[in-house]
Amino acid sequence: MSQQTHDTIGRLAAGIRRALDLEEGRLSADTLSRAGELLEKTDARMDLGEDFTVVAFAGSTGSGKSSLFNAVAGLEIARVGVRRPTTSLPTACVWGEGGEELLAWLGVPVDNRTWRESALDGDDEESLHGLVLLDLPDHDSTAAEHRTESDRLVGLVDVVFWVVDPQKYADFSLHSHYLSQFAEHATTMVVVLNQIDTLGPAEREACRDHLSQLLAQDGLDGVRVQLASAVTREGVPGLRETLTDTVSAKNAASERLLADMRSLAAQMREELGEPLTDPTRLPGADRLVEAMVDAAGVTAVSQTVRDDYLRRSYRKTGYPPLALAQRGQADPLGAKHGGDRDDLVRAAVPETTRTQSARVNLAAHELVAEAVRSLPLQWRHAVSHAEKQSTAELTYTLDSAVTAVDIERRSPGWWNVAGFFQILFFVATVVGGLWLVAQGLLALFAGLVVDASPWLWIVPGALLVVGIVGSIITSVTAASARARGAQEAGDEVEARLREAVGQAAAGSYLEPITAILSEHKAVYDGLR
């Protein structure tokens, strides 16, 4: 057995064992039974080694396989029945010493075992050393036990020589119940058209071509077809040469096991259905995230953060009289009543409405329906159950996602700078204005003569103008900076909340669903 073949058999066996560990109902009972039997057979056959190669002659009633068996063996070993059925037990011919343990595993009775070679043979049979040749009961026998035994051994041997005759080589039962079931076994099969002595040269070629066409339709396009006659011994040397090549390769057992593994794996994959390319990235997940973002009130939270930023920044950077007046207004977040401001920001978010929950449920249902449409019923039921559990915990999932985000209260340094200049210009405005008013009143009511120096009017006038202009410039600049800062603060919180909701959607919400889909893909990939 080559290392590559050994590794492939081991990998497929591991994949099949993993499939057997699936919950009940994920695979059919017939497939599970077949898988258990194949694993048991694989372990047993590999333990027996490949020193001997088991080849079986199988065929229908009247195909002449027993006569052909005797012709190949060169001895009259197999019983050629005049009346059918003959026997339900196989007959074995062994070339070389040993093989008893293998024959016992095959269930060949001791009385039906013959060891080929004698002193008269010389080295004529040496090329076949290591061959165990079986003559099986008729697969179409009227006796059920004969058919059962034939089917059992066809499943155990390394190579099958299907012996057919010119009258029944196109038999529907042979092709539909047997040959078409061995599409993966072309390298471990040979089809022998026996009794060619009853055909002329043209008829032989016509039968061979038609048989090859039927085999191609069975999925056995590459299977070898040989012609022989047990009566005239024509084609028998060619069969012995094929047997010699098979024995000398010493890989028939592993090739048969590999073919069995691939055939079963293909059946399992068909039952499992095509998996998603990446179960963690479900098509349509963006729609679900958007619905969850809406249900979680992400937009409301980000808007609250913007409003809170504007309110706090205005109190620091607004025109002092207006900012002072706003301090007396009620805080929508209730900060004057205590409590953590992050919690108060989240508390300002309205509760999830039924409409929002319905949107999430619909998005999730559409997402899951798209993901499982290629899966069989049992897998779809499992995913649907996981979806219902996740939907039932939607409120908790969203609340956990939102509350896990730390909402930073920004208080940038420019607030203090702007506040300082607002106060400075406001004081300049007040001082300049009061100075001018006081000086004007003194001149008007006290009758004082105003000093001829213009500075008594220039200085307060300058203070007033600088204060007003400075306040306007500072207010406009601060207003623009407040708007940008509020937008950035709201956008940052919204981005972090969206990320948190997206992680919740991919994690706690979709995790039970993706876990099932990932398991499905892992099992499927293990069977490739």
Side-chain angles (χ1 to χ4, degrees):
M1 182 188 299
S2 70
Q3 186 60 43
Q4 182 178 2
T5 302
H6 183 276
D7 292 343
T8 304
I9 290 175
R11 177 179 56 78
L12 288 175
I16 292 171
R17 286 191 174 91
R18 179 169 187 174
L20 289 177
D21 292 334
L22 292 172
E23 291 184 12
E24 184 178 357
R26 301 287 175 86
L27 290 169
S28 69
D30 179 68
T31 298
L32 294 177
S33 175
R34 181 184 168 193
E37 292 173 358
L38 177 56
L39 292 175
E40 183 179 349
K41 167 194 167 180
T42 300
D43 292 339
R45 187 64 185 91
M46 292 179 73
D47 287 342
L48 290 168
E50 292 190 273
D51 291 335
F52 282 91
T53 300
V54 184
V55 179
F57 275 22
S60 60
T61 304
S63 64
K65 62 178 176 55
S66 296
S67 298
L68 194 61
F69 174 89
N70 291 335
V72 170
L75 298 172
E76 293 296 321
I77 300 173
R79 176 185 175 187
V80 180
V82 178
R83 291 186 298 175
R84 301 290 175 173
T86 52
T87 176
S88 64
L89 301 175
T91 299
C93 182
V94 183
W95 278 259
E97 297 181 356
E100 290 88 350
E101 187 177 359
L102 180 58
L103 290 169
W105 177 68
L106 291 168
V108 179
V110 175
D111 293 340
N112 287 25
R113 305 174 187 177
T114 299
W115 271 260
R116 185 66 176 85
E117 289 186 90
S118 68
L120 299 176
D121 291 321
D123 296 330
D124 293 347
E125 304 297 321
E126 186 176 0
S127 63
L128 291 177
H129 277 196
L131 171 64
V132 176
L133 187 62
L134 300 182
D135 178 33
L136 305 187
D138 300 336
H139 68 73
D140 64 346
S141 174
T142 56
E145 63 270 21
H146 293 197
R147 299 193 302 271
T148 300
E149 182 67 358
S150 178
D151 292 348
R152 182 184 72 83
L153 286 166
V154 164
L156 291 179
V157 300
D158 304 328
V159 180
V160 180
F161 277 50
W162 290 99
V163 181
V164 298
D165 61 86
Q167 289 74 39
K168 294 191 294 184
Y169 71 85
D171 180 62
F172 175 79
S173 176
L174 170 66
H175 288 270
S176 62
H177 295 163
Y178 290 96
L179 297 179
S180 63
Q181 305 302 314
F182 286 86
E184 295 280 349
H185 298 70
T187 60
T188 61
M189 286 175 55
V190 176
V191 178
V192 182
L193 179 60
N194 193 21
Q195 302 177 5
I196 60 171
D197 56 288
T198 64
L199 302 173
E203 293 175 319
R204 291 181 184 184
E205 290 304 314
C207 283
R208 180 172 189 159
D209 291 344
H210 188 212
L211 177 57
S212 297
Q213 291 176 8
L214 294 175
L215 292 172
Q217 293 173 10
D218 294 331
L220 295 166
D221 194 23
V223 73
R224 183 183 305 185
V225 177
Q226 294 188 240
L227 276 58
S229 170
V231 175
T232 65
R233 299 298 193 266
E234 184 179 358
V236 171
L239 293 180
R240 287 175 61 89
E241 184 178 348
T242 300
L243 290 171
T244 297
D245 294 341
T246 302
V247 171
S248 62
K250 290 189 177 298
N251 64 354
S254 57
E255 289 294 329
R256 172 60 193 271
L257 293 175
L258 181 57
D260 287 341
M261 289 280 184
R262 284 174 171 165
S263 177
L264 178 61
Q267 180 182 339
M268 285 183 159
R269 292 198 306 272
E270 185 177 355
E271 288 190 22
L272 289 171
E274 191 73 24
L276 293 178
T277 303
D278 185 357
T280 62
R281 299 176 66 87
L282 302 182
D286 292 343
R287 294 195 303 272
L288 175 62
V289 172
E290 285 303 316
M292 294 181 72
V293 164
D294 180 52
V298 169
T299 302
V301 172
S302 63
Q303 186 58 51
T304 301
V305 169
R306 293 187 189 97
D307 294 343
D308 182 60
Y309 182 98
L310 289 172
R311 193 160 34 246
R312 291 186 298 112
S313 64
Y314 190 78
R315 289 175 180 175
K316 288 279 190 178
T317 65
Y319 192 59
L322 300 178
L324 183 63
Q326 192 185 76
R327 290 180 183 275
Q329 297 178 1
D331 188 341
L333 296 179
K336 299 183 77 172
H337 302 290
D340 183 81
R341 199 168 189 82
D342 287 1
D343 294 336
L344 293 170
V345 168
R346 295 187 182 96
V349 179
E351 293 185 2
T352 302
T353 66
R354 291 184 178 181
T355 301
Q356 291 170 326
S357 296
R359 280 189 59 205
V360 174
N361 295 345
L362 179 60
H365 181 73
E366 291 177 345
L367 175 70
V368 171
E370 175 68 19
V372 303
R373 64 178 181 175
S374 64
L375 303 188
L377 185 61
Q378 291 295 334
W379 288 89
R380 293 202 301 269
H381 283 170
V383 173
S384 177
H385 179 68
E387 177 200 350
K388 290 178 180 177
Q389 286 185 318
S390 294
T391 301
E393 299 174 0
L394 173 63
T395 301
Y396 174 77
T397 300
L398 293 178
D399 185 63
S400 298
V402 173
T403 55
V405 176
D406 181 26
I407 300 177
E408 180 185 358
R409 295 182 66 206
R410 292 187 175 188
S411 297
W414 70 265
W415 285 10
N416 293 327
V417 175
F420 169 77
F421 280 106
Q422 285 283 34
I423 293 174
L424 178 64
F425 291 132
F426 176 71
V427 170
T429 301
V430 171
V431 170
L434 291 177
W435 189 342
L436 289 174
V437 170
Q439 191 160 290
L441 290 174
L442 288 174
L444 180 63
F445 295 106
L448 297 177
V449 178
V450 179
D451 194 316
S453 174
W455 292 106
L456 291 177
W457 295 96
I458 292 175
V459 171
L463 285 175
L464 179 62
V465 171
V466 169
I468 293 174
V469 173
S471 293
I472 292 173
I473 293 174
T474 302
S475 296
V476 171
T477 303
S480 177
R482 285 196 300 269
R484 285 197 308 273
Q487 188 65 40
E488 290 174 0
D491 290 347
E492 180 186 354
V493 169
E494 182 170 351
R496 292 168 63 190
L497 287 173
R498 280 180 171 273
E499 181 182 2
V501 172
Q503 291 175 350
S508 57
Y509 189 82
L510 289 178
E511 186 175 6
I513 298 170
T514 56
I516 296 174
L517 295 175
S518 297
E519 179 188 30
H520 175 269
K521 178 174 172 56
V523 173
Y524 186 95
D525 290 345
L527 296 170
R528 287 181 169 177

